[in-house]
Amino acid sequence: MKSEKFDMGDIDIAWCPGCGNFGILNVLKKTLDELKIDPGNLVLVSGIGQAAKIPHYLKTNFFNGLHGRALPPATGIKASNPSLTVIAESGDGDMYGEGGNHFIHTIRRNPDITNIVHNNMVYGLTKGQASPTSQRGFVTPVQVAGVILEPFNPLAVAIALNAGFVARTFIGDMDKTIEIFKKAINYKGYALVDVLQPCVTFNKINTYQWFRDNTYYLEDSYDSHDRNTAFKRATEPDKLPLGIFYINPDKTPFEENTGVYQQNDTPLFNREVDYGKLESLISKYALV
Amino acid sequence: MKSEKFDMGDIDIAWCPGCGNFGILNVLKKTLDELKIDPGNLVLVSGIGQAAKIPHYLKTNFFNGLHGRALPPATGIKASNPSLTVIAESGDGDMYGEGGNHFIHTIRRNPDITNIVHNNMVYGLTKGQASPTSQRGFVTPVQVAGVILEPFNPLAVAIALNAGFVARTFIGDMDKTIEIFKKAINYKGYALVDVLQPCVTFNKINTYQWFRDNTYYLEDSYDSHDRNTAFKRATEPDKLPLGIFYINPDKTPFEENTGVYQQNDTPLFNREVDYGKLESLISKYALV
Amino acid sequence: MANLSAKKGRDISVVLCGQAGQGIQTVEKLFTRILKANGYHVFATKEYMSRVRGGMNSTLIRISDKPVCAFIDRIDILVGLNKGTVKHLKKRITPETMIIGEMGVLGDEVENKNRLLDIPFSEIAANIGSKIYSNTVAVGALISMLSVKPEEVIDCLKQFFKDKSQEILEKNIEALKAGYEKAVNLENFSSIKIKAAAINEVKKQILVNGSEAVGLGAIAGGCNFISSYPMSPSTAVLVFLAQNSRDFGILAEQAEDEISAINMAIGAWYAGARAMVTTSGGGFALMTEGISLAGMLESPMVIHLAQRPGPATGLPTRTEQGDLELALYAGHGEFPRIIFAPGTLEDAFYLTQKAFNIADKFQIPVFILTDQYFIDSYYNTEPFNLKNCTVEKHFIETSENYRRYKLTEDGISPRGIPGFGRGLVCADSDEHDQEGHITEDLELRIKMVDKRLKKLDLIKQESIPPELLGPENYENLIICWGSTINIINEAVSNLGRKDTAVLYFKQVYPLHESANKLINKASKTIVVENNAAGQFARLLKIHADVNISHNILKYDGLCFASDSIAEKIKKLL
Amino acid sequence: MANLSAKKGRDISVVLCGQAGQGIQTVEKLFTRILKANGYHVFATKEYMSRVRGGMNSTLIRISDKPVCAFIDRIDILVGLNKGTVKHLKKRITPETMIIGEMGVLGDEVENKNRLLDIPFSEIAANIGSKIYSNTVAVGALISMLSVKPEEVIDCLKQFFKDKSQEILEKNIEALKAGYEKAVNLENFSSIKIKAAAINEVKKQILVNGSEAVGLGAIAGGCNFISSYPMSPSTAVLVFLAQNSRDFGILAEQAEDEISAINMAIGAWYAGARAMVTTSGGGFALMTEGISLAGMLESPMVIHLAQRPGPATGLPTRTEQGDLELALYAGHGEFPRIIFAPGTLEDAFYLTQKAFNIADKFQIPVFILTDQYFIDSYYNTEPFNLKNCTVEKHFIETSENYRRYKLTEDGISPRGIPGFGRGLVCADSDEHDQEGHITEDLELRIKMVDKRLKKLDLIKQESIPPELLGPENYENLIICWGSTINIINEAVSNLGRKDTAVLYFKQVYPLHESANKLINKASKTIVVENNAAGQFARLLKIHADVNISHNILKYDGLCFASDSIAEKIKKLL
Ligand SMILES: Cc1ncc(C[n+]2csc(CCOP(=O)(O)OP(=O)(O)O)c2C)c(N)n1
Ligand SMILES: Cc1ncc(C[n+]2csc(CCOP(=O)(O)OP(=O)(O)O)c2C)c(N)n1
Ligand code: SF4
Ligand code: SF4
Ligand SMILES: [Mg+2]
Ligand SMILES: [Mg+2]
């Protein structure tokens, strides 16, 4: 799986050998390549964590911001220049824990960005504490008696928030992941892809094998346009379905709704102040 | 509707005449009275907003904290002294906007607290901006072209998070609200009651009449134990159903799960340090 | 009964008092606009409780034939719309204060009934058709003092009610006339006639408040993106820009919280927008991690921080200068910043405008530090001059081998934006190399710290010097910053001393190098601040290397008053 | 080839270097424990990259017959497990440095092959059964230098591997022996023999690191609630308390974010628990609104802030003293606080213990300011003495008419907790009356501000004085705070000058009144700090009213080294 356009050549990658993040990196490069996206027109936005290091490993513009805060700058970037392709990508702790409030409200806001979450069910970079998606009973140095909180179900929450595109993939299946990444990026609006990714160092429970044993694909006949069915499938108690759970093709992205681009599609950086108009606004304050 | 035990006598209440908050205050006092709760054993936790002023208007212990931050201290209080009855109460902006991340994760954590949200679909105290629950098209001084974000559906999100008790009431019906408040307080675990409450000053759309016209009760035959049905009913596109959407009787509250009370039910304030044990812990560091 | 106008050169102070929601604001707005239209200098400010209805609020309006722009305690005429008015303002009411109101409402509170002009606003209004016209009846009574005839203000009324029906307009005209008639025919009326001369130039001036001055400055500075979360008193700027968003192509977004607001805005700058946030107290505390992010990314950022009394929720609708040190040290780690603290409307406009250019130039966060008093005060001032306003875009079109954090002599790396040019723009919150990639090269770390911090030298060279008002050969120096300047200046002018000057800082960090000399020249120095800890005096100690002789501090949630602060200063001289 | 042990009184410094995940930590842990068990004084600290596998990390171990507790640059023996070792440590390697490693791995990097003791760790380990025993082979080689025989450390090994199978234990013993044999039989081995004497008392001492000292202190202070969010380097304290939660009845909760963490902890204090948070950099920035809440509620709060280099994400696993001013000014509005900055393990224990009592007594936030260097360093020290540790519970049982914010002479209102007594406990983030109800009474506002701020006077009376080390009649004073003390103290002692003393601040705010005199007594003062801006020097200027002659600053993410800082200080004297 080679992708020249986005390749960085011989660089030092800080991930552990065998980590699922490598697969996601390869899949992402391949996807972008196949979609013929120009690196100069792409912005990868991430937070902090192992997953969040991804922008450093491919050739692209990027904004590697704060832990938990990938979505707000991604929104700000897209809204300031809608011609950019914007992908917000981080770990499960970053997106669903520290960044939980942005997750909710970005879905409500619906900017045309793709949100890829590396879900390894653990905090990798900080060495193995529970993440919001850690399963009950998962023992860590902090959760000494095992996780007692209800695991966060990102798909169910996204569907509850009426997100326009909601999918889950497993990085053990790269081809299918590429396929879904493509659809997510092409979707006009906020698209969530939760990628199941083994952390070989700190998560000895949810391994490649565990994911293989505990996932399956939604049937071909599955209709991804029904929100109630999507919810039902997203909350199935046993195995984790993979695929596109829900698509709502009728949403208008945030930046289109803001009104700033209705008469003028120039990105904000290229605009000038209308000083004439400002002068007349000021002079209005001379009147009653 | 009188309630001597919690009554503050002749005090200056800062709400506008006709505000739905008065109804909630009365209902709350009545509920607590009828449940024979001792004011000294109750802690009302709130954030900041019009709704969040409620603790000042009844006789009780209270913790009136920061905007958006009612749930974390409520959790800390309950976990430090499980014999207290803890109610976290604030506005829709406070709980679902600024406090959105705590809303999600408190549901996951499931402390035995009751979460009452005064949902007036607007920011009252700061004079009429949109709240997360404001309906599309709602025009305000900030949302000049009307709200363009998808309204936040607290019930659907709570159900997606597998909250144990999820209900909605309308303060126009006090009796039914009391009934539901009682059940929520008696529920062992996190219980959400979203209370539809008109803001007569800043929300000229969602008035008493509007709520009357746009709500109805879930049928008597409705089975509140099925999560998928609950989701379906919570996301109905037209009128807003009222009542208890979902109850999960099988959850264990957070404080019981923590392990701190397993052998010892003394509240934390009454405990002493076991210096003998500490001494032997320290001396272990003298060994290899 | 003294004739107010007899005290020569003195302005008239009118205070309106009533509950929230009772319409004081309508009286204030209509009256001040009539005043200005008729050539009077006018200043207005309000103090109010954190509630939407009820409570007790008041608005001060000063009317003069000379520019007037400061709060005073003195009340010449008090219009009381509600029971409790006298209690609420007891400290400011003197035997000289004339009170206008309904005998039925205020009768019990006013001791000297002679001082009460009984005008039954609501009865008169009811006769016209509805109590809602009471406010206009009150305005009618007020204009009578100015010897302005109702006919002369019909245009003002038309303008004011332009969005209302013809019937409403007519009823209001009727109400105004009735109030006027009632007042002029009162026995003790003539005593309060105001003789201030109407000045023609005033008519051409503008009447804006602090938030409008900041908002207009932002537009002039090229602001096209604001993301914020409502919080008193900062919301006014968000509202102003939202209201003007369509006309000026501004993306105004209410964020889910303050953390999102600042991160969204930093993202916007990254993509080439000119973004700002507006916030107060706790909202700003939540943004401090974002401030640090701007420091590390070397992102421009403009933060309007409208102060209110803390800690925590404090007094949400009151004023204080309590967040100076917070603004100065906010954010973990070390990086440069600029803090402006405009005290005049003009300064608010020009400094906000400048903030965008200078943030862009130095790639740092720039603060506009105001407070509730400043935000809610207004007076007539010259229309802001746009001649020297330009949007200096400091970003570049990138070439192939562009490096965002290129090490340069002066620490400033040309800022590229994604999609403009052939280079890649890599912004990183970790310590990074010149390309923007995460690094653990600790020698490079030193270079990067030095690069960021050395910008401060350049920034200092462009610092705005403090403004000296009064005699050049001073013995005593009264030092102030931000919103207090007009108050202090009026107070010190009124003292009329040749040995006492005022030093006004509109840029509080980094300080202009002249600060040390100007302060050390005085033998006595007094820093006047609206806080309890004397924060600016501490800042002067570290950054101007001076010791201050006296502090005058106020922290009850109200601004200083030029008359009573003058007394305090006098005692210390 | 010099015999290291020949330099009398000098300790031996051993540095282990390799990739993350390669097992340096096992070597370090086992080796230091063997050393201590054999009566050597030992100190260890590490520097590492922010990654889980790969990269280059190193650990310094100092071995001595005298107490040793500071970082030095000098490397006597370098154990290199990985290619790149020499490059990574090039600045610290001298011609005297002996390098132990595999020729196949390090051969290319080591210029003077004479200095390379070739021990094929992995080959020896493979022969025993698996490469995973390489680490223990290395330990075997290391103990040979101490003239400690493998037989003498069998007990240590048993203890160390007590949770592993018998087979694993035996293999490790075998590996240790093999490493030992290989080393002693090497031709140039004898030259590195260490002659430091074994001290019996050391065996009874404890070996703890900074985070353990803070954690043990917290338990001793009665901490029974910790809510925090992971962040390097502060997480260690959360982990420590979680690990001990069952034994000591501590509720340890990982919050969804830092905002939740601090608000939860304040809620816990309100209900009578003794709560703390532990955090770093950006996590603390997010807590600043909560700090202000504690200020307004007059809630006790204990914050462990483990500093790391900023701004923003900065260098997550490195050290810096860059958040002093942030801790000092964090939170909007004005309220008192205390900041401890322990620099020794003993101080960390006792100050953390004290923090809970003093926070409870004064009802204010109390900071424990540490940093990555401090958290990750350990040495043998006397077991912490619990004799004087008590949990002073300052809350009361309330009576009927209890008022949470009763105005008292000294500003302290007895603190009630809900459900204990017959009163109601009302805590309010707005400005409030004595009962805790929201108020807009602005005269009461003044009283409440005064009440909160005047506690600072009492607090100052209890401030811990700075500690003077060295001659009482000094000319030169080297001033430091927090984690640098052991380094500075060693450096200055080694200079051996009768005119130069060290002043160590373990409480950095509010300062003890003696600070001014102690500092002014010196004719030359040097503040040494691990940051770029000289934050403590600024603090001294404002709060001790002193001017400092020199700053020595370091901000590359590493701590000072006692040998190289001694050179720098010498130049300035
Ligand atoms: C405000 C803040 N809090 C905490 C941290 C520390 N931190 C860095 S990464 C991380 C969690 C990483 O987990 P996740 O997002 O799941 O990413 P992963 O490493 O598993 O890919 C944390 C807690 C931080 N950098 N900033
Ligand atoms: C951190 C912070 N941000 C903003 C505010 C300002 N603020 C106070 S109340 C409020 C919103 C109130 O709306 P809601 O929670 O719906 O309550 P309501 O007044 O409608 O009952 C806001 C934004 C604040 N106090 N603190
Ligand atoms: S710690 Fe886990 S998530 Fe991080 S790089 Fe290693 S395997 Fe991957
Ligand atoms: S503003 Fe609205 S919510 Fe607030 S008190 Fe008035 S009516 Fe009630
Ligand atoms: Mg993760
Ligand atoms: Mg609301």
Side-chain angles (χ1 to χ4, degrees), chain D residues 407-451:
Chain D
L407 292 169
T408 60
E409 196 103 333
D410 60 5
I412 299 177
S413 324
R415 188 167 74 92
I417 55 172
F420 184 51
R422 296 190 305 150
L424 293 178
V425 183
C426 303
D428 187 17
S429 77
D430 303 278
E431 192 55 276
H432 39 251
D433 61 20
Q434 297 189 62
E435 283 186 359
H437 283 291
I438 183 171
T439 187
E440 298 239 15
D441 176 342
L442 301 182
E443 287 172 40
L444 189 54
R445 157 76 179 174
I446 298 177
K447 290 195 187 117
M448 286 293 170
V449 172
D450 289 343
K451 164 196 192 329

Side-chain angles (χ1 to χ4, degrees), chain D residues 108-129:
Chain D
D108 295 347
E109 331 190 338
V110 180
E111 271 180 41
N112 179 353
K113 297 283 177 295
N114 264 339
R115 304 298 302 169
L116 179 61
L117 278 188
D118 176 24
I119 303 187
F121 303 127
S122 45
E123 195 189 310
I124 297 175
N127 287 340
I128 290 166

Side-chain angles (χ1 to χ4, degrees), chain C residues 16 102 253 282-283 298 303 332 387 435 451 477 495 526:
Chain C
L16 314 171
E102 306 191 22
E253 179 61 2
E298 301 196 47
I303 304 105
H332 51 296
K387 245 201 333 247
E435 282 184 0
K451 162 195 193 333
L477 192 63
L495 288 178
I526 307 176

Side-chain angles (χ1 to χ4, degrees), chain A residues 14-16 19-21 50 120 124-125 197-202, chain D residues 52:
Chain A
W15 293 323
C16 313
C19 175
N21 281 322
Q50 297 283 27
N120 54 7
L125 189 61
Q197 167 238 327
C199 166
V200 298
T201 304
F202 293 113
Chain D
V52 172

Side-chain angles (χ1 to χ4, degrees), chain B residues 48 50-51 67 92-94 120 122 124-126, chain C residues 229-231 258, chain D residues 289:
Chain B
I48 294 296
Q50 297 283 26
H67 180 60
D92 46 341
D94 189 297
N120 54 7
V122 75
L125 189 61
T126 49
Chain C
Y229 189 80
M231 187 159 194
E258 289 83 353
Chain D
E289 194 194 16

